[in-house]
Amino acid sequence: MFEVTIRDGDDGPALENGVVRVGIHLNRGTFSVSAVEKGRGSLASAAVSVALDAGPTVGSRGIGFSVEREEVVEDWLGRGRCVVLSRESDEHEPELVTTLTLYAGMPFATVRSEVLNRGKSAIRVSAFRVLDAGRVELGAEASDCRFYKEGWQDWSPALVLPVSGEDVAMSPPVIAPRAQPERKQGRFLSELMTLVAAPSGASLLAGFTSTADQFSQVWLDREGQALTAVSYADGIEVRAGGRLASETLLIEPSGDGLGSMRRYGEALGRGSAAVKWPEPVAGWCSWYYYFHGISESEVIANLDVISLRRRELPFEYVQIDDGYQAGIGDWLTANEKFPQGMGWLADQIHEKGFKAGLWLAPFLLGEKSQMWKDHPDWAVQYQPGTPMIAMLNWEQRCYALDLTRPDVIEWLGTVFRTIFDEWGYDYVKIDFIYAGAVDGIRYDPNVTRAQAYRRGIEVVRKVAGERFILGCGQPIGPSIGVVNGARIGPDVAPFWHPKVRSDERDDMSSVSTLNALRNVLSRWWMHGPLWLNDPDCLMVRESETTLTLDEMRTLATIIALSGGMVLNSDNLSELSDERREVISMLLPVYGKSAVPLDLFAANGMPRLFELDCGSHQMLGVFNWEEQSAQVTVPLPEAATHVFDAWSQEYLGLQRESIRLSIPSHGCVLLGLRRAEDRPQMVGSTFHLLQGAMEISGEVWDGSALLLRLRPVANAEGEISLAVPEDTGGPRADGCEVSQASDGLWALRLRVDEERDLRVEFG
Ligand code: 9PG
């Protein structure tokens, strides 16, 4: 591994680790980050600055840096070296200190700023620009590049935009209210991180790796190809002699944008102390069939089906969503549809052997609630005396709870202790929680929005202990390190396109299956390092929906490939056997995320979502258009067995590419296996991922094929084998063997326990 060296260049010190070089221009007060290998991206001439509330902006550009010190560092990113720079300043000015770090062998640099108040009175810091207008150099015009836009919270759109066009406009609650740069033509804004990619593949990622204290944004100005990264201190006070630091920004020039995103996700997860959940999660949720109408008896009816069919529907959780509570804020009082109370219902779920989940929106106070009547002083203020409206929903104004109030924190503790410890729930879905992070006046003026929000969710974490927390409608950054699972997109719906609204600005964030899927593809990199992604619920029903069979399969395919939580939301007693089998085809959950191969190349949504299952690849190919499409899908150069998971058809041995016809809004899910010169498994009807769960080993011993079988939701099914012509047909104990075509055989069998299957030939 290359160690980090620091050399004195003409303009100032330069750090290098064999992969990345950070150059510092002391006279100009700028720095650059570039890849050592040619043809990758770089960032040039970046400055740092800090904006003070009611004060000047203090910046390094044109002013100059002096070197304070060089140090050896060892932290969660590895071992490295840093240069600490101080902006040249006058005595009356606050001092701006910037640390640039490189790590041994790592393809990125990090930058962090700090302000020291040397004056005699307190100052208020509004924002750090840890990257102030650095020039993105990717060997291409900015207008030929693509910009990855990350959203403020779960329901905010995340997508890749062509820089030749314009950013998409959005409004609260899916953008951070108020703290926004001026909107202008050619400006592209992203929360937390971005990646800019050129057609050549050269790319530059800039993303914050720490998130607990300050919200952050990154934006690109097409003109000048200027990238700026901001960490918001929200006007908190730094007393005389005190100091305040920004969050840490990671900058990675690369020739592999998807690899950069994966690495960034890992750095972010470690930097923000993500809480892992060891096992994938599967269950049932009441919302997307019953909506507010859910009742105790409907929960029990579904629980009975889940219990009776536990083999084919191996759910762990039964989650009650919105609709049980007396009011928005009155979480401990059930309404008349739940006559025996929420504790009783949790007991019923436990008695059947399942874990119980409950929804609530703990940071909202509805104006019709008893809580609001009792505590009209508990809301964040918009202006002194006017409470901040976080949401218009449930036919009322819903105010944002002020999480800096000790009495609010105490009340939240009581709410969650009742739900977890008294009622016995094992899982909470905490929804609309962005409300805790809105921009407004709080009881404690010296906390950032992120810090106020953390005070709230940390109560939930503390009371939950080892139990599961699903965050929903949550701001992304400060939720990392607290929640176990996260919704990552707008709600799915029993329809495809968003309903047209008069105000079309929020189109990509309003409920619709299409909108939900866009975010699942874009936010693939969050799954695992940050939390379990919740791609939102699977609906497979044929009535009470306008989703077509093709649309339902696209939803199921993306959920299965996402590796995230699998939550069904149908009336289970009304499903046909055929549709119920679709749920079974996703269970158990594999847990690893696929990669959207063409994220930076697609016009609109990516069409290729590929999952590496070790023994084979699964490739989802999607058609987002309004008419059917002929698509040429790239395949490996070597001969590959191709199996269509939905039609359960063997598509033969293919090389380099395959041409497919895909219906509108539909998909084809291919199982891909490198052809061997011997009998091999090529497809399965047990599980959608074609062997990832039901086959844990496949060995050819020279005359027989040994398959290690694992039981999955579908007890019975078929395994397809490709058999070279001169080998003869397969035989195996307990299997019904049939020949499908030349060289293709099917074994029909039942798997109830983990066991070996020996398949002989000839
Ligand atoms: C319950 C639902 C479900 C769902 C959540 C969340 O913008 N809106 O008006 C809006 C309303 C509801 C909503 C999202 C946005 O859905 O995502 O899973 O729990 O609340 O009310």
Side-chain angles (χ1 to χ4, degrees), residues 155 173-174 285 287-288 292 319 321-322 359 391-394 429 431-432 472-473 487 489-491 501 509-511 536-537:
W155 306 328
V174 301
C285 161
W287 181 250
Y288 298 90
H292 297 110
Q319 185 242 308
D321 214 281
D322 187 2
W359 171 98
M391 188 87 204
L392 294 171
N393 199 359
W394 303 278
K429 174 178 176 182
D431 203 354
F432 297 90
C472 187
R487 262 286 290 290
D491 293 15
R501 298 204 216 172
S509 63
S510 51
V511 303
D536 210 8
C537 292

Side-chain angles (χ1 to χ4, degrees), residues 19-81:
V19 197
V20 178
R21 183 177 185 280
V22 175
I24 297 159
H25 209 301
L26 292 175
N27 285 339
R28 292 196 196 137
T30 61
F31 65 95
S32 65
V33 180
S34 45
V36 169
E37 196 178 310
K38 289 230 156 36
R40 301 182 165 209
S42 70
L43 181 77
S45 193
V48 286
S49 65
V50 60
L52 305 177
D53 250 19
T57 291
V58 173
S60 66
R61 188 181 301 279
I63 302 290
F65 289 128
S66 56
V67 177
E68 291 261 302
R69 60 188 184 276
E70 297 172 2
E71 275 174 12
V72 171
V73 291
E74 177 127 37
D75 60 25
W76 44 274
L77 283 175
R79 204 157 34 84
R81 297 180 74 179

Side-chain angles (χ1 to χ4, degrees), residues 229-240:
V230 178
S231 181
Y232 288 100
D234 295 343
I236 62 175
E237 187 181 275
V238 182
R239 39 177 189 76

Side-chain angles (χ1 to χ4, degrees), residues 442-463:
R442 289 182 169 80
Y443 170 80
D444 181 346
N446 263 335
V447 283
T448 63
R449 291 166 291 153
Q451 288 166 337
Y453 172 75
R454 286 288 280 225
R455 289 190 187 177
I457 55 172
E458 273 163 7
V459 174
V460 189
R461 179 75 275 164
K462 196 154 165 238
V463 180

Side-chain angles (χ1 to χ4, degrees), residues 6 13 15 24 26 65-73 81-87 95-101 112-114 116 243:
I6 305 181
L15 297 93
I24 297 159
L26 292 175
F65 289 128
S66 56
V67 177
E68 291 261 302
R69 60 188 184 276
E70 297 172 2
E71 275 174 12
V72 171
V73 291
R81 297 180 74 179
C82 69
V83 174
V84 181
L85 302 168
S86 173
R87 171 188 174 271
E95 192 175 336
L96 179 60
V97 177
T98 298
T99 306
L100 288 161
T101 309
R112 181 168 170 268
S113 285
E114 202 179 4
L116 271 66
R243 55 211 294 152

